[in-house]
Amino acid sequence: MKKLEIIIKPEKLESLKNILDDCEASGLMITNIMGYGNQKGYTRMYRGTTYNVNLLPKVKVETVADDAAEKIVDRVVKEISTGNYGDGKIFIYNIEDVVRIRTGERGADAI
Protein backbone atom coordinates (compact mmCIF):
# COMPACT_ATOMS: atom_id res chain seq x y z
CA MET A 1 0.00 0.00 0.00
CA LYS A 2 1.09 3.56 -0.75
CA LYS A 3 0.14 6.83 0.88
CA LEU A 4 0.01 9.73 -1.57
CA GLU A 5 0.42 13.24 -0.18
CA ILE A 6 -0.48 15.61 -3.01
CA ILE A 7 0.15 19.34 -2.58
CA ILE A 8 -1.54 21.54 -5.18
CA LYS A 9 -2.96 25.00 -5.83
CA PRO A 10 -6.45 25.41 -4.31
CA GLU A 11 -8.06 26.02 -7.72
CA LYS A 12 -6.98 22.53 -8.86
CA LEU A 13 -8.81 20.71 -6.05
CA GLU A 14 -11.93 19.80 -8.04
CA SER A 15 -9.81 18.36 -10.86
CA LEU A 16 -7.86 16.29 -8.34
CA LYS A 17 -11.04 15.01 -6.69
CA ASN A 18 -12.32 13.91 -10.11
CA ILE A 19 -9.07 12.05 -10.78
CA LEU A 20 -9.25 10.28 -7.40
CA ASP A 21 -12.90 9.34 -7.99
CA ASP A 22 -12.09 7.98 -11.48
CA CYS A 23 -9.22 5.92 -10.05
CA GLU A 24 -11.52 4.62 -7.29
CA ALA A 25 -9.46 5.94 -4.39
CA SER A 26 -11.03 4.68 -1.18
CA GLY A 27 -11.05 8.07 0.54
CA LEU A 28 -9.16 11.28 1.02
CA MET A 29 -8.25 13.91 3.60
CA ILE A 30 -7.93 17.58 2.65
CA THR A 31 -5.95 20.19 4.59
CA ASN A 32 -5.55 23.89 3.78
CA ILE A 33 -1.88 24.80 4.17
CA MET A 34 0.48 27.65 3.34
CA GLY A 35 4.03 27.46 2.10
CA TYR A 36 6.50 28.09 -0.67
CA GLY A 37 8.96 26.18 -2.77
CA ASN A 38 11.39 27.25 -5.46
CA GLN A 39 9.40 30.36 -6.38
CA LYS A 40 9.81 31.87 -2.86
CA GLY A 41 6.51 33.73 -3.20
CA TYR A 42 6.03 36.98 -5.10
CA THR A 43 6.39 40.76 -4.69
CA ARG A 44 3.42 43.15 -4.74
CA MET A 45 3.10 46.90 -4.70
CA TYR A 46 0.17 48.35 -2.77
CA ARG A 47 -0.35 52.12 -2.48
CA GLY A 48 3.28 52.81 -3.24
CA THR A 49 4.65 50.25 -0.78
CA THR A 50 6.36 47.09 -1.96
CA TYR A 51 5.84 43.96 0.10
CA ASN A 52 6.78 40.30 -0.29
CA VAL A 53 4.23 37.52 -0.08
CA ASN A 54 6.18 34.34 0.54
CA LEU A 55 3.56 32.05 2.09
CA LEU A 56 1.20 30.97 -0.66
CA PRO A 57 -2.08 29.11 -0.10
CA LYS A 58 -1.93 25.41 -1.00
CA VAL A 59 -4.09 22.35 -0.45
CA LYS A 60 -2.72 19.04 0.82
CA VAL A 61 -4.72 15.96 -0.19
CA GLU A 62 -3.83 12.63 1.36
CA THR A 63 -5.07 9.27 0.16
CA VAL A 64 -4.08 5.61 0.40
CA ALA A 65 -3.99 3.48 -2.72
CA ASP A 66 -2.95 -0.07 -3.44
CA ASP A 67 -2.64 -0.82 -7.13
CA ALA A 68 -3.90 2.56 -8.34
CA ALA A 69 -1.06 4.68 -6.90
CA GLU A 70 0.96 4.93 -10.13
CA LYS A 71 -2.18 5.56 -12.19
CA ILE A 72 -3.13 8.42 -9.85
CA VAL A 73 0.38 9.92 -10.01
CA ASP A 74 0.45 9.73 -13.82
CA ARG A 75 -2.96 11.36 -14.19
CA VAL A 76 -2.18 14.13 -11.69
CA VAL A 77 1.08 15.00 -13.47
CA LYS A 78 -0.67 14.96 -16.85
CA GLU A 79 -3.88 16.80 -15.94
CA ILE A 80 -2.97 19.17 -13.08
CA SER A 81 0.35 20.49 -14.41
CA THR A 82 0.44 23.98 -15.92
CA GLY A 83 4.20 23.98 -16.45
CA ASN A 84 4.68 26.90 -14.04
CA TYR A 85 6.33 27.13 -10.65
CA GLY A 86 3.98 26.29 -7.81
CA ASP A 87 2.09 23.43 -9.48
CA GLY A 88 2.83 21.30 -6.43
CA LYS A 89 4.43 18.04 -5.35
CA ILE A 90 3.45 14.44 -4.75
CA PHE A 91 5.07 12.58 -1.86
CA ILE A 92 4.75 8.79 -1.91
CA TYR A 93 5.14 6.76 1.27
CA ASN A 94 5.09 3.01 1.89
CA ILE A 95 2.50 1.94 4.45
CA GLU A 96 3.45 -0.97 6.65
CA ASP A 97 0.01 -1.68 8.08
CA VAL A 98 -3.45 -0.19 8.60
CA VAL A 99 -5.90 -0.92 11.42
CA ARG A 100 -9.59 -0.02 11.32
CA ILE A 101 -10.33 1.07 14.87
CA ARG A 102 -14.03 0.14 14.83
CA THR A 103 -13.56 -3.54 13.85
CA GLY A 104 -9.87 -4.26 14.34
CA GLU A 105 -9.45 -5.27 10.69
CA ARG A 106 -5.93 -4.94 9.36
CA GLY A 107 -4.22 -4.41 6.01
CA ALA A 108 -6.17 -3.90 2.79
CA ASP A 109 -9.42 -4.94 4.51
CA ALA A 110 -9.10 -1.90 6.81
CA ILE A 111 -9.10 0.52 3.90
Side-chain angles (χ1 to χ4, degrees):
M1 288 181 285
K2 303 283 186 186
K3 176 183 177 186
L4 301 177
E5 192 172 280
I6 306 166
I7 299 172
I8 57 170
K9 294 178 180 181
E11 59 267 19
K12 298 292 186 173
L13 180 59
E14 285 303 315
S15 299
L16 179 59
K17 285 172 40 181
N18 291 334
I19 291 169
L20 294 175
D21 286 343
D22 290 347
C23 293
E24 299 178 357
S26 60
L28 58 96
M29 293 181 289
I30 300 172
T31 309
N32 289 313
I33 61 173
M34 296 184 78
Y36 66 87
N38 292 333
Q39 79 273 22
K40 306 285 191 258
Y42 57 89
T43 303
R44 287 274 188 205
M45 182 164 289
Y46 180 72
R47 294 188 178 188
T49 303
T50 301
Y51 63 95
N52 293 322
V53 178
N54 62 357
L55 291 176
L56 304 173
K58 301 287 182 179
V59 174
K60 178 169 69 170
V61 178
E62 298 172 84
T63 189
V64 175
D66 209 359
D67 299 330
E70 281 304 314
K71 182 179 175 183
I72 292 170
V73 170
D74 291 341
R75 286 201 51 196
V76 168
V77 169
K78 189 167 117 180
E79 296 177 28
I80 301 283
S81 174
T82 64
N84 298 322
Y85 285 112
D87 277 346
K89 299 261 190 303
I90 302 174
F91 297 95
I92 303 169
Y93 304 96
N94 287 320
I95 294 181
E96 187 175 319
D97 199 6
V98 178
V99 178
R100 183 186 309 257
I101 295 173
R102 179 176 53 88
T103 62
E105 294 173 295
R106 297 183 82 109
D109 293 336
I111 294 184

